[in-house]
């Protein structure tokens, strides 16, 4: 009876090669996009007033952009504001979403 070697089986090896090929392909596609002049970032925020929620969303988008080395950001569209009256944790709260274009 032939024993399989302990460690990588054929199925595991195939999965590993597929994963490596997928990551390589995605990085090849994503690199030119990241190198372009600008990108859009979405941010979300929550607060007791609409202004606080919007500012939190803007800060969230800017923090995401700074992770990619982009610091010059502008709103791409008007913020979306949602008023929630029955949040199980916060009660009456505002939530906001923004899309920002950053260079």
């Amino acid at each position: 009876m032939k024993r399989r070697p302990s460690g990588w089986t054929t199925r595991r090896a195939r999965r590993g090669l597929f994963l490596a090929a997928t990551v390589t392909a995605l990085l090849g596609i994503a690199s030119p996009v990241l190198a372009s002049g600008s990108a859009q970032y979405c941010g979300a925020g929550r607060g007791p007033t609409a202004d606080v929620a919007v500012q939190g969303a803007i800060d969230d988008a800017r923090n995401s952009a700074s992770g990619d080395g982009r610091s010059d950001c502008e709103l791409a569209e008007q913020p979306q504001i949602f008023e929630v009256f029955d949040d199980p944790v916060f009660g009456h709260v505002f939530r906001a979403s923004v899309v920002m274009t950053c260079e």
Side-chain angles (χ1 to χ4, degrees):
M1 183 173 243
K2 199 173 187 183
R3 290 186 72 198
R4 290 186 183 208
S6 62
W8 288 88
T9 63
T10 303
R11 183 177 287 168
R12 285 184 182 166
R14 285 183 188 159
R15 284 183 188 166
L17 289 174
F18 177 76
L19 180 63
T22 302
V23 168
T24 302
L26 289 175
L27 287 176
I29 292 169
S31 295
V33 172
L34 291 176
S36 69
S38 64
Q40 288 192 329
Y41 293 86
C42 183
R46 176 188 72 223
T49 66
D51 291 338
V52 171
V54 169
Q55 188 58 50
I58 289 172
D59 291 343
D60 184 41
R62 284 188 175 152
N63 286 338
S64 296
S66 70
D68 290 339
R70 301 176 191 271
S71 59
D72 185 24
C73 298
E74 296 179 1
L75 285 172
E77 55 190 50
Q78 291 296 318
Q80 295 180 348
I81 302 169
F82 308 96
E83 187 172 10
V84 179
F85 293 96
D86 58 352
D87 187 87
V89 176
F90 301 104
H92 183 221
V93 67
F94 290 87
R95 298 183 190 277
S97 173
V98 297
V99 176
M100 299 188 77
T101 302
C102 302
E103 294 182 15

